[in-house]
Amino acid sequence: MATLKDVARLAGVSVKTVSNVVNGYSFVKPDNRRRVEEALEATGYRPNLGARNLRRGRTGFIALVLPELSIPYFAELAGLVIAAAQDHEWNVLIEQTFGTLAGERSALASLGPHLVDAAILSPEALQVDDFQLPVPAVLLGEHAVDVPISRVGIDNVAAAQAAVRHLISLGHQRIAAIGAHPHRGTAALRLEGYRRALAEASLPFVDELVVPALNYHRADGAAAMRSLLDLRNPPDAVFCFNDLLAIGAMRAAGERFVRVPQDLAVVGFDNNEESVYSSPSLTSVAPDKAAIAQAAVDLLHRRVESGDALENVETPFSLQVRESTVAR
């Protein structure tokens, strides 16, 4: 493998100049920079990241702590975080907690400056006292706990409100919600958006139309939908707090010969790939997952490098309208 000395010899400059170029310092003369870059290309030199991190007191790793990789949203987000982390020469260690308090506490206990430089967290059950972190961190999404940690995510209330407004605009008046959960901060926010959309349309909030989901899997959505269809006056539309719940709900509706969207309109949340290819295709709230991942990694990098002040970054979302609400 080529060394800094090999590059310096070919470029006709000092090893220090080569090191300055490799490390991105700006005070290198343009002609020297050009010669070094050409020599780097010619020799195929690759920096020894392990040695560099050791000199800087870094590990070269960040942790990504997520509830469940079997949920497509988190799997997609993990891939995007890994891609964004490469821009900062970070490797990513992924911890899966299943959204339990014990799992999340165990994941936090494993973090430390000897293992990772920083962490991106998506907790569901942690309490305020649990956030005694040994490394810089960024939270994904909005949570019920109020802790002095930077956050990145969408406005869940506004996103849920947009989804329910869409259903109301189509003439639906008995709109159900699937996904209420006592410990998920995002669930409470999406329920609040649901409430606000109903209130602004002067539609009543009906307790029997709000069905909880212990997990956000297809089976939970199907079970919730069956209970709604058993009501004396079933809903004519349903807003599901993630796409898997919505896919399960549509399956249960089909088993009862309830047509989507003719008899029942369905909206999901997350805009996973499955929502495009389901039959009918699923209308879904689409967070900009790439923007979330990039903002989280960039914010984390600034925290590690310069200890920037805490920051909350709100990323955009859209509503992708498909066949589950508007028949083609």
Side-chain angles (χ1 to χ4, degrees), residues 72 76 218 244 247 271-279 282:
E76 292 177 23
R218 299 169 187 83
L244 296 189
I247 296 294
N271 196 45
N272 298 319
E273 187 177 22
E274 188 172 355
S275 65
V276 179
Y277 293 100
S278 63
S279 183
L282 177 64

Side-chain angles (χ1 to χ4, degrees), residues 106-129:
S106 176
L108 291 193
S110 70
L111 301 180
H114 62 286
L115 181 63
V116 297
D117 298 326
I120 297 174
L121 313 173
S122 182
E124 294 183 350
L126 290 177
Q127 305 302 310
V128 173
D129 293 340

Side-chain angles (χ1 to χ4, degrees), residues 183-318:
H183 302 303
R184 292 177 187 254
T186 52
L189 295 165
R190 291 172 192 180
L191 185 60
E192 177 60 24
Y194 166 81
R195 283 179 179 270
R196 290 186 186 183
L198 294 180
E200 71 183 9
S202 299
L203 294 176
F205 179 89
V206 181
D207 286 335
E208 69 177 5
L209 292 180
V210 178
V211 184
L214 181 61
N215 296 301
Y216 278 17
H217 299 160
R218 299 169 187 83
D220 300 279
M225 191 70 247
R226 293 186 192 106
S227 70
L228 288 168
L229 294 176
D230 287 339
L231 295 174
R232 178 173 298 179
N233 185 12
D236 58 5
V238 60
F239 167 50
C240 299
F241 289 11
N242 85 340
D243 284 353
L244 296 189
L245 292 173
I247 296 294
M250 290 198 296
R251 173 70 184 188
E255 292 171 350
R256 300 283 187 92
F257 302 102
V258 174
R259 299 170 301 165
V260 176
Q262 294 87 346
D263 306 319
L264 177 76
V266 180
V267 175
F269 205 113
D270 290 343
N271 196 45
N272 298 319
E273 187 177 22
E274 188 172 355
S275 65
V276 179
Y277 293 100
S278 63
S279 183
S281 57
L282 177 64
T283 294
S284 182
V285 175
D288 189 335
K289 292 185 279 283
I292 292 172
Q294 191 67 57
V297 172
D298 289 347
L299 181 54
L300 199 64
H301 187 259
R302 293 198 297 273
R303 294 280 295 148
V304 169
E305 292 296 322
S306 56
D308 279 3
L310 300 182
E311 184 178 351
N312 291 336
V313 178
E314 185 175 296
T315 51
F317 69 87
S318 60

Side-chain angles (χ1 to χ4, degrees), residues 49-50 52-54 56-64 78-94 112-113 115-120 135-138 293-307:
L49 297 181
R52 180 192 298 179
N53 288 325
L54 186 63
R56 300 170 67 199
R58 303 280 170 76
T59 68
F61 288 87
I62 61 171
L64 175 61
L80 292 166
V81 167
I82 290 170
Q86 290 174 346
D87 294 339
H88 299 295
E89 297 180 340
W90 266 332
N91 295 300
V92 181
L93 300 178
I94 299 177
L115 181 63
V116 297
D117 298 326
I120 297 174
V135 294
V138 169
Q294 191 67 57
V297 172
D298 289 347
L299 181 54
L300 199 64
H301 187 259
R302 293 198 297 273
R303 294 280 295 148
V304 169
E305 292 296 322
S306 56

Side-chain angles (χ1 to χ4, degrees), residues 141-218:
E142 300 166 290
H143 301 275
V145 293
D146 184 15
V147 291
I149 300 177
S150 298
R151 301 171 187 251
V152 176
I154 68 169
D155 184 335
N156 275 275
V157 173
Q161 200 168 356
V164 179
R165 279 175 179 161
H166 170 66
L167 293 170
I168 294 170
S169 74
L170 297 173
H172 300 290
Q173 297 193 342
R174 190 165 169 80
I175 302 170
I178 295 176
H181 195 287
H183 302 303
R184 292 177 187 254
T186 52
L189 295 165
R190 291 172 192 180
L191 185 60
E192 177 60 24
Y194 166 81
R195 283 179 179 270
R196 290 186 186 183
L198 294 180
E200 71 183 9
S202 299
L203 294 176
F205 179 89
V206 181
D207 286 335
E208 69 177 5
L209 292 180
V210 178
V211 184
L214 181 61
N215 296 301
Y216 278 17
H217 299 160
R218 299 169 187 83

